[in-house]
Amino acid sequence: MNQNVRIGQYAVIGENVTIGEDVVIGHHVVIYDGTIIGNQVVIHDHAIIGKKPMKAHNSATTTNHVYLLPAIIADRCIIGSSSVIYANAFMENDVFVADLATIRERVVIGEKTIIGRGVAVENDCTIGSNCKLETNCYICAFSTLEDDVFVAPCVVTTNDNYLGRTKERFGKFKGVTIKKGGRIGANATILPGKIIEEEGVVAAGSIVTKNVKSKELVAGSPARKIRDVPPEQWLENQ
């Protein structure tokens, strides 16, 4: 353990944990074996880092894990109170995770991305850099969000076209893809496997049943094109 590490009361640090310089660890934090913590990281009270997944007997997407790589929290990340980051999650530099968020196993989060309060990122997801996932949105397993993606509060993504019925669904789970600069409005729902192309926009409350083309705005249930995204909102013009 390096110098200038502050550890709160009743924190539990597992074996072979690597902790960088100028790290602050709050009260009642649990860090599991092998976890790697970078420099200038702040972990707030009651956070859990490196947790191994549990498996229900009838789970379709969680497998038994004999071994998972440790969680890696890179430099200058901030981890909020009571958040849970699972084993084999990797967070690049300057990621912010707000209170009560959950980041599952085999998730990669790019630098300077914000994971809002109560957000759930399920297993096997990739989240790009400079993204913003706002309060209580849900990113389903096997999803990909590229750089500069904005997801508003209470957005729901889905990955099971069979709604939990029939064995045919096994092996066919497919999350959503939101390409660079895509934006999703509050309370929108995106159905399994759908793709939001670069800088596509989904209006609040919409249900996306078809792919959204680049730089088009869709709205409604089911979502349909309303108009093109105005040029002043394109990333290249920011």
Side-chain angles (χ1 to χ4, degrees), residues 183-186 188 190 196 200-204 206-208 212 216-219 223:
R183 292 177 290 166
I184 314 297
I190 305 176
I196 314 301
V201 176
V202 177
S206 300
I207 299 180
V208 176
V212 177
E216 74 176 19
L217 184 151
V218 301

Side-chain angles (χ1 to χ4, degrees), residues 103 110 128:
I103 298 170

Side-chain angles (χ1 to χ4, degrees), residues 10 22 51 88 101 128 155 190 234:
Y10 307 111
D22 301 313
K51 181 183 185 295
N88 207 4
V155 167
I190 305 176
W234 297 355

Side-chain angles (χ1 to χ4, degrees), residues 33-53:
D33 296 352
T35 298
I36 299 172
I37 307 293
N39 300 316
Q40 301 175 36
V41 171
V42 178
I43 303 174
H44 287 265
D45 301 342
H46 295 277
I48 300 174
I49 313 293
K51 181 183 185 295
K52 290 186 177 180

Side-chain angles (χ1 to χ4, degrees), residues 189 191 194 202-203 205-212 217-226:
T189 299
L191 296 190
K194 298 302 173 280
V202 177
S206 300
I207 299 180
V208 176
T209 62
K210 296 180 179 179
N211 294 343
V212 177
L217 184 151
V218 301
S221 177
R224 294 182 173 88
K225 180 179 178 179
I226 301 300

Side-chain angles (χ1 to χ4, degrees), residues 150-176:
F150 176 89
V151 181
C154 300
V155 167
V156 174
T157 62
T158 60
N159 60 15
D160 183 4
N161 275 313
Y162 297 87
L163 299 178
R165 297 285 174 88
T166 80
K167 292 182 179 180
E168 189 176 358
R169 77 189 195 278
F170 296 110
K172 292 188 176 181
F173 295 103
K174 189 172 183 180
V176 305

Side-chain angles (χ1 to χ4, degrees), residues 9 29 31 50 72-73 81 107 115 119 134 155 187 233:
Q9 295 183 359
V29 169
I31 303 177
I72 300 176
I73 312 297
S81 296
V107 168
I115 306 295
V119 168
E134 295 202 326
V155 167
N187 286 300
Q233 293 189 19

